Amino acid sequence: MFDTIDDTARRLEAAGYLPSREIATTVFLADRMEKPLLVEGPAGVGKTELALAFARASGRELIRLQCYEGLDEAKALYEWEYAKQLLYTQLLRDRIGAAVAGAPTLAEAADRIAAEGNVFFSERFLLPRPVLRAITSPVPSLLLIDEVDKADPELEAFLLEILSDWAVTVPELGTLRAKVVPRVVLTSNASRELSDALRRRCLHLHLDHPTQARELAIVRARVPEASEALARQVVAAAARLRGMDLRKSPSVAETLDWARALLVLGAEVLDARTLSDTLDVVLKHQADAERVRARPAEVLG
């Protein structure tokens, strides 16, 4: 558990994430209040990285659920290991035969087998998926529900019970409650609107592309070999690229890759030639790269 907001900021920074005061405050509150944290913003602004740093900074085991269209409750919660159940059934067929021996009717034989049904629907045959793993974890954990907006709305309804009661119901076993309340971080690129019910249960944090001053601090921390002049040029150029009408603006991760690529090439400054040579590192669509190559002065300033 974090002690103060300043302690949260220091530990997040030690975990490789440079937070603003707002970010550190929200993470501190999510931890202390045991509230899920919904982090929204465009792709590439560090939402997932914040969750990873939260887990490292708080010493929690990271459990990740990557969302996608068609993700259902079974894949998020648990599945029965049917192959294992079948194997045990085959191994125990003699005992099963003994259990139904002498039954005068099929109905009574079925009742005898049903009485032993829990043998094959016990935790021995339960295959926990990320949500159940987080709920039943005996150690502190952080459940990252990544890109929840890509999942179907039905998954949100399923998550509401989990986030409200920290419990899940397995029909064959009953209700399983959290031994240690996990921390939960949900990320969203806002590809669809999330329900108000889900939002009410979460603290909310919106991340956008950082200011130039903060991005420069990130580059200094993550690419310390870059000279001050080169770091400033790369950050300023990335900011100008984001101001252009591109199909995909560069993320912070791509700014860092750009700085590292220039170091590998031995570039001391970002000029028109190195800009043209390295645009494919920072821009991921050919149309964007061609447009920028035709207007280098807009990027170089």
Side-chain angles (χ1 to χ4, degrees):
M1 183 174 289
F2 299 115
D3 296 327
T4 63
I5 295 173
D6 290 337
D7 175 57
T8 306
R10 285 192 297 269
R11 288 162 65 177
L12 287 174
E13 187 170 349
Y17 189 93
L18 190 65
S20 65
R21 182 74 178 180
E22 177 191 3
I23 292 172
T25 300
T26 308
V27 169
F28 171 75
L29 292 174
D31 184 49
R32 281 298 188 91
M33 297 170 67
E34 298 184 345
K35 294 272 287 184
L37 174 58
L38 172 60
V39 187
E40 291 189 291
V45 295
K47 301 184 295 295
T48 300
E49 187 60 35
L50 174 59
L52 301 180
F54 187 171
R56 289 193 295 266
S58 58
R60 291 177 172 270
E61 176 191 5
L62 177 72
I63 300 174
R64 183 171 182 169
L65 174 64
Q66 181 63 51
C67 296
Y68 53 87
E69 186 176 353
L71 176 67
D72 59 18
E73 182 177 325
K75 293 184 177 66
L77 186 55
Y78 71 92
E79 292 180 284
W80 291 108
E81 294 190 271
Y82 295 113
K84 189 175 179 181
Q85 288 171 323
L86 179 60
L87 175 61
Y88 271 61
T89 302
Q90 292 171 343
L91 293 173
L92 297 174
R93 62 177 178 267
D94 291 341
R95 295 297 300 271
I96 295 173
V100 300
T105 65
L106 287 176
E108 185 173 336
D111 289 341
R112 292 184 185 183
I113 293 174
E116 303 294 336
N118 288 339
V119 171
F120 295 100
F121 286 96
S122 64
E123 292 189 27
R124 177 185 291 113
F125 302 103
L126 192 67
L127 183 62
R129 295 304 185 187
V131 173
L132 186 59
R133 282 179 54 206
I135 291 294
T136 59
S137 175
V139 299
S141 63
L142 184 146
L143 174 63
L144 167 58
I145 304 175
D146 214 6
E147 299 183 311
V148 66
D149 54 317
K150 288 186 177 180
D152 299 328
E154 290 76 13
L155 185 69
E156 288 184 44
F158 156 69
L159 290 173
L160 293 179
E161 177 189 358
I162 311 296
L163 301 180
S164 297
D165 303 329
W166 303 116
V168 296
T169 300
V170 179
E172 298 84 354
L173 300 179
T175 300
L176 304 177
R177 299 193 177 278
K179 300 175 182 177
V180 181
V181 175
R183 300 298 178 264
V184 179
V185 177
L186 306 94
T187 72
S188 169
N189 295 332
S191 62
R192 70 171 177 84
E193 187 63 30
L194 301 178
S195 69
D196 290 339
L198 181 64
R199 291 181 179 278
R200 281 197 302 271
R201 285 162 174 78
C202 302
L203 296 183
H204 182 263
L205 179 64
H206 180 81
L207 295 186
D208 209 336
H209 294 293
T211 63
Q212 286 194 45
R214 184 161 172 261
E215 190 165 22
L216 180 59
I218 294 171
V219 172
R220 285 171 176 156
R222 303 291 288 274
V223 194
E225 314 87 46
S227 68
E228 180 70 13
L230 183 62
R232 287 182 177 276
Q233 279 191 299
V234 168
V235 168
R240 294 188 188 103
L241 287 171
R242 292 178 190 130
M244 300 174 72
D245 186 20
L246 302 178
R247 183 175 174 183
K248 181 187 179 303
S249 296
S251 66
V252 176
E254 287 156 348
T255 302
L256 294 171
D257 285 344
W258 201 7
R260 294 186 184 108
L262 292 170
L263 286 177
V264 170
L265 295 173
E268 298 181 359
V269 296
L270 181 62
D271 54 25
R273 180 174 179 177
T274 54
L275 173 68
S276 178
D277 289 346
T278 59
L279 267 180
D280 290 330
V281 175
V282 71
L283 298 179
K284 306 305 181 181
H285 295 280
Q286 184 61 27
D288 287 347
E290 290 176 356
R291 180 179 180 185
V292 173
R293 284 191 178 100
R295 301 154 62 184
E298 290 187 27
V299 179
L300 296 175

